[in-house]
Amino acid sequence: MVGNIDYSKKGVLKRQLTNNEILELSKLIAIVKNKRFFDSRLRMIDEVSAVDSFFVTNRLLESSGASYFTTLYDYWMYGDRFERGAGLVFSGSILGGYGHTRSDNIRENNNDNSGSKSTIPFAGALFTMEYEKPVNLYWQQSASLSLRGQYERTSSNDPYIENDPHLKLNQYSTQFSGSYNWGYYPNSRTNLNWGIREFLYWRDIDYMNTKQTSNNNYWNTSTELYFKTYYYFSPQIRLSADVRGGLEYIKYKHWDTGQLGWNGSFQLTFTYSLF
């Protein structure tokens, strides 16, 4: 509801909205946004009419001319590009799938028409928790937790692998992640977000028809700090940035010691429009 400020600057509103009015308007927007329509034009008419009725009923309008409606339309269409939620959400999913690949090798010199194929069915489960808390009109707190477990069974047939052309293995993996974020939203075009993420991953591979021991069984953890922004200075000047870095530790099952290292990345985009 940062549009409240723009309305006041343009002399559209008689007064500032109270905190209760902002809450009621937010509830109204959530209701009309979740209505079902088969015609997008009728949806727009209903949505804008509902918000307009709120301003009229609460005697907030000083002027209802073109400036009011064009600003309302602008915020309704583009004011939710940076999503903000409120409350606690738990969710769970059952995962499953099947993959199959096949390749045929045709060699004219030695009439070798052999090929390879593999199948990978998998199943798992995912549980997530998301918490969103708007501190005020401009500030937002959010946190999330997720836990994922997955099982894969791989069967492959490759005649070019002399030691083990028929390979079967089971792979078990578990992934846990958590994050905490602060967001600042001064208007509908600008936002700044920074926070911390923690990631823990474990994988174990079990070969079924061979004495081979997997060297890919490992667990790793990483902690990452990040900063993201899209800053709208003016219609002519804009800046977007994504900067992150952290510490990662990997421990393989058959290694005596683990690997500790730093990783990071950054992306900066500055836009200056000449015309």
Side-chain angles (χ1 to χ4, degrees), residues 125-138:
L126 172 65
F127 301 96
T128 62
M129 184 208 74
E130 295 180 340
Y131 173 72
E132 297 278 355
K133 181 182 179 181
V135 180
N136 54 39
L137 188 61
Y138 304 104

Side-chain angles (χ1 to χ4, degrees), residues 101-152:
T101 60
R102 174 176 175 174
S103 63
D104 296 317
N105 301 315
I106 301 176
R107 299 185 179 183
E108 297 179 357
N109 296 334
N110 54 10
N111 295 322
D112 182 5
N113 296 330
S114 61
S116 61
K117 63 180 180 179
S118 65
T119 59
I120 308 177
F122 70 90
L126 172 65
F127 301 96
T128 62
M129 184 208 74
E130 295 180 340
Y131 173 72
E132 297 278 355
K133 181 182 179 181
V135 180
N136 54 39
L137 188 61
Y138 304 104
W139 291 93
Q140 180 90 7
Q141 290 186 72
S142 60
S144 66
L145 294 173
S146 70
L147 177 63
R148 175 172 178 161
Q150 186 165 303
Y151 163 75
E152 294 180 12

Side-chain angles (χ1 to χ4, degrees), residues 10-252:
K10 295 180 180 181
V12 172
L13 298 182
K14 293 181 179 179
R15 58 176 174 82
Q16 294 285 340
L17 276 72
T18 65
N19 290 334
N20 288 334
E21 287 173 336
I22 292 175
L23 180 60
E24 290 301 318
L25 181 56
S26 300
K27 291 179 179 179
L28 173 65
I29 291 174
I31 292 173
V32 298
K33 278 285 189 180
N34 285 282
K35 284 185 177 181
R36 186 180 181 184
F37 284 86
F38 294 103
D39 190 321
S40 60
R41 293 176 298 178
L42 295 179
R43 170 186 287 277
M44 177 59 64
I45 293 172
D46 180 80
E47 292 173 341
V48 174
S49 297
V51 177
D52 175 65
S53 177
F54 176 87
F55 283 112
V56 172
T57 302
N58 289 276
R59 300 179 180 179
L60 289 163
L61 291 180
E62 181 71 32
S63 171
S64 60
S67 177
Y68 160 66
F69 281 105
T70 53
T71 303
L72 174 59
Y73 180 83
D74 176 65
Y75 273 100
W76 193 263
M77 293 297 295
Y78 306 104
D80 59 350
R81 294 302 173 91
F82 312 120
E83 184 176 343
R84 297 175 64 180
L88 183 63
V89 177
F90 292 94
S91 63
S93 304
I94 301 298
L95 311 174
Y98 179 84
H100 176 79
T101 60
R102 174 176 175 174
S103 63
D104 296 317
N105 301 315
I106 301 176
R107 299 185 179 183
E108 297 179 357
N109 296 334
N110 54 10
N111 295 322
D112 182 5
N113 296 330
S114 61
S116 61
K117 63 180 180 179
S118 65
T119 59
I120 308 177
F122 70 90
L126 172 65
F127 301 96
T128 62
M129 184 208 74
E130 295 180 340
Y131 173 72
E132 297 278 355
K133 181 182 179 181
V135 180
N136 54 39
L137 188 61
Y138 304 104
W139 291 93
Q140 180 90 7
Q141 290 186 72
S142 60
S144 66
L145 294 173
S146 70
L147 177 63
R148 175 172 178 161
Q150 186 165 303
Y151 163 75
E152 294 180 12
R153 180 185 177 91
T154 302
S155 300
S156 63
N157 180 9
D158 192 338
Y160 293 101
I161 302 178
E162 296 180 359
N163 297 331
D164 202 348
H166 305 286
L167 182 64
K168 293 183 179 181
L169 59 88
N170 294 320
Q171 177 174 299
Y172 308 89
S173 62
T174 303
Q175 174 182 309
F176 172 81
S177 63
S179 67
Y180 179 76
N181 181 85
W182 269 92
Y184 177 61
Y185 302 83
N187 55 60
S188 65
R189 290 181 169 90
T190 295
N191 76 95
L192 298 91
N193 282 269
W194 56 91
I196 183 172
R197 285 195 181 98
E198 180 67 29
F199 176 83
L200 178 64
Y201 180 79
W202 169 81
R203 182 179 71 181
D204 188 80
I205 297 177
D206 176 27
Y207 288 91
M208 300 176 60
N209 56 344
T210 180
K211 295 181 179 180
Q212 179 179 354
T213 300
S214 172
N215 292 320
N216 294 318
N217 295 339
Y218 73 94
W219 66 269
N220 80 300
T221 179
S222 64
T223 303
E224 178 187 69
L225 298 174
Y226 63 89
F227 172 76
K228 298 188 296 182
T229 184
Y230 180 84
Y231 208 98
Y232 184 95
F233 293 97
S234 72
Q236 192 176 18
I237 304 174
R238 309 175 192 188
L239 172 69
S240 63
D242 189 335
V243 182
R244 58 190 65 220
L247 185 66
E248 183 178 30
Y249 179 79
I250 301 176
K251 177 63 170 67
Y252 287 88

